[in-house]
Amino acid sequence: MSSRAVASSRGAWPLREGQTVLASLLNTSLSSVCKWEVGDRKPSGPSLKLLHRIERKGLDAVI
């Protein structure tokens, strides 16, 4: 999953608030989400699966 796709998973939320919400929904750290968005790291495991679900069905699919 590209860093742009991770960033778009936040939906219309502003940057920091959106990252915090996404981190909470994925049960991961804010630092991880930030690193994914800038391309320093790539999501894996359950986080990657949830991000794919969000990409296909929107945030409502994991709330």
Side-chain angles (χ1 to χ4, degrees):
M1 174 166 276
S2 72
S3 57
R4 188 170 298 203
V6 173
S8 71
S9 296
R10 287 188 277 110
W13 289 86
L15 181 62
R16 184 58 66 183
E17 291 85 359
Q19 290 172 331
T20 303
V21 169
L22 186 60
S24 177
L25 288 172
L26 299 176
N27 196 30
T28 192
S29 69
L30 176 60
S31 174
S32 290
V33 173
C34 293
K35 288 177 183 178
W36 297 340
E37 288 190 0
V38 296
D40 287 346
R41 298 198 53 140
K42 293 191 183 263
S44 61
S47 294
L48 181 60
K49 287 184 180 190
L50 287 171
L51 283 168
H52 281 300
R53 177 172 281 185
I54 292 168
E55 188 176 44
R56 287 189 318 269
K57 299 183 178 185
L59 279 173
D60 291 338
V62 296
I63 294 177

